[in-house]
Amino acid sequence: QQIANIGNWHFDPEVGFPVWSDYIYQIYERDPKDGVPHIDDYKKIYEPEQYGIFNKAFTAAINEGKNYDIELKLKLPKDQIKWIRAICKPDIKRKSKSGYNLSGTIQDITKSKKAELELQKAKVNAEEITGRLKAALESMSDAVFISDLDGNFIDFNEAFVSYHRFKSRKECAKTLKEYPEFLEVFYSDGKLTPLQMWVVPRALRGDMGLNEEYILKRKDTGETWVGSYNYAPVRNNYGDIIGSVVTARDITERKKTEQELILAKEKAESANIHKNYFLANMSHEIRTPMNGVLGFTNLLLDEDFSDVERNKYLHIIERNSQQLLTLIDDIIDVAKIESNELKISIGDCKVLD
């Protein structure tokens, strides 16, 4: 009995108290010299809820001859806790006015019960952690997917669905080998990426990557987009690879913006070159009429010129001044164009003029 942690008992309702084997005294940590407890003493051994379970089963066994097999929690001296399994089989052939004779067993299941409770607690904790991880995954805007060692996707978030252009979660392919049927992957230079070089197989080989860019194309719709990937293997406590974890972000719009910035920069640089050429040319154009104005002005300072010659030089000065004024107006117009301040007036004009 001690090896199996089981003790036997018998109860005669005419006597009013049970008969225990030696091992039951050990379970209840009671000295055999003190005898077995009276039925009412069980209220002290069991907590109210536990006593209710015991009393209901025990009463039904005595009065109705019903078997019971129940687990009970004992509260022993010094607040020691034990769990027992109590089994009762009424003797249907022996019934007195006080009820059926009972016999049964009591087994100490404390160790197994503690292990069961710890397992239940661990399961609850695992479920809570899983729930939190699931909530965290669903809150992420990046696609996140986890595979086993065979490339089967065991978990992924909602962003994974939209990233791969699926209509719903049910439509998602669950194994890597299905994806080449409808998806092509290219390196950033446009070269086709073979399946063994996709991020999941690379992670399963032990590779790790950060912000690696690939171009993806759906074969069925022709839609293309650019993805940025982070990936790594998943290892167990022994360091063995058991799966992979991958995150992917759609950076198509960012790449378009980057390309637009590059084109804008090239355009600005080209405009700056033309501007410098224009200014260099303008300096020459300005210097030419300015030399004429200054040169003939100096000549007019000589009093030996006749009125005819003097008028001739004045006309030359006037013409060069007008030319210089036109150039200055053109420079001002260019400046207004660059600052978006040039006002254009729309009106009738004569083409021949």
Side-chain angles (χ1 to χ4, degrees), residues 278-288:
F278 171 77
L279 291 176
N281 186 58
M282 283 298 100
S283 65
H284 172 73
E285 294 294 331
I286 291 172
R287 192 177 295 112
T288 299

Side-chain angles (χ1 to χ4, degrees), residues 26-274:
Q26 293 183 35
I27 292 176
Y28 280 85
E29 297 187 4
R30 189 177 181 90
D31 192 334
K33 295 179 181 179
D34 297 332
V36 297
H38 187 271
I39 192 67
D40 291 335
D41 291 335
Y42 285 97
K43 293 180 180 180
K44 301 177 182 179
I45 299 174
Y46 302 117
E47 294 178 355
E49 180 183 355
Q50 296 290 302
Y51 178 76
I53 296 172
F54 165 73
N55 188 55
K56 181 179 180 181
F58 192 79
T59 301
I62 293 176
N63 297 332
E64 303 173 34
K66 290 185 176 180
N67 297 345
Y68 67 76
D69 184 346
I70 56 177
E71 293 181 356
L72 297 169
K73 183 180 179 182
L74 306 182
K75 188 175 182 181
L76 302 175
K78 298 181 181 179
D79 292 329
Q80 184 180 359
I81 301 299
K82 278 189 177 182
W83 284 89
I84 62 170
R85 180 185 180 189
I87 298 176
C88 172
K89 292 185 178 180
D91 187 347
I92 304 300
K93 297 179 180 180
R94 297 181 61 187
K95 183 181 181 182
S96 63
K97 294 181 179 179
S98 300
Y100 291 95
N101 279 28
L102 308 178
S103 61
T105 60
I106 293 178
Q107 181 182 13
D108 186 348
I109 60 170
T110 303
K111 290 183 179 180
S112 61
K113 192 65 178 180
K114 284 183 177 180
E116 179 186 338
L117 293 175
E118 288 295 327
L119 183 61
Q120 290 177 356
K121 184 178 179 181
K123 184 178 180 181
V124 171
N125 290 338
E127 290 175 350
E128 289 180 355
I129 293 173
T130 301
R132 291 173 183 173
L133 288 175
K134 194 71 176 177
L137 284 178
E138 293 304 331
S139 67
M140 296 177 67
S141 58
D142 290 351
V144 182
F145 46 109
I146 302 169
S147 80
D148 62 15
L149 196 56
D150 296 321
N152 301 312
F153 296 140
I154 57 178
D155 201 2
F156 52 85
N157 62 355
E158 200 65 30
F160 173 91
V161 180
S162 58
Y163 177 82
H164 289 95
R165 277 45 177 183
F166 291 116
K167 295 178 181 178
S168 66
R169 196 179 187 90
K170 292 182 179 179
E171 188 185 275
C172 294
K174 304 299 191 302
T175 61
L176 178 65
K177 62 183 180 182
E178 298 177 73
Y179 280 76
E181 298 176 6
F182 58 85
L183 187 67
E184 288 182 315
V185 178
F186 302 88
Y187 293 112
S188 56
D189 60 4
K191 293 182 180 179
L192 184 66
T193 307
L195 179 60
Q196 65 269 23
M197 294 306 294
W198 288 19
V199 293
V200 171
R202 290 181 62 186
L204 293 176
R205 293 196 297 269
D207 293 344
M208 299 177 65
L210 184 65
N211 297 327
E212 293 190 8
E213 296 181 6
Y214 294 89
I215 301 170
L216 293 85
K217 180 180 179 181
R218 288 281 302 221
K219 293 181 180 180
D220 49 356
T221 63
E223 183 180 1
T224 61
W225 65 98
V226 183
S228 176
Y229 288 83
N230 301 326
Y231 57 91
V234 177
R235 301 179 184 271
N236 60 18
N237 293 334
Y238 302 100
D240 301 321
I241 295 175
I242 59 173
S244 69
V245 58
V246 179
T247 65
R249 175 177 298 179
D250 189 336
I251 59 170
T252 306
E253 292 302 320
R254 192 188 82 187
K255 298 299 289 186
K256 287 181 179 179
T257 301
E258 290 176 356
Q259 189 61 33
E260 291 173 357
L261 288 174
I262 291 173
L263 293 175
K265 181 182 178 183
E266 292 176 351
K267 186 176 180 181
E269 290 175 348
S270 176
N272 192 53
I273 291 173
H274 285 85

Side-chain angles (χ1 to χ4, degrees), residues 9-19 94 96 98-102:
W9 61 273
H10 175 77
F11 179 76
D12 185 344
E14 293 294 326
V15 177
F17 57 85
V19 177
R94 297 181 61 187
S96 63
S98 300
Y100 291 95
N101 279 28
L102 308 178

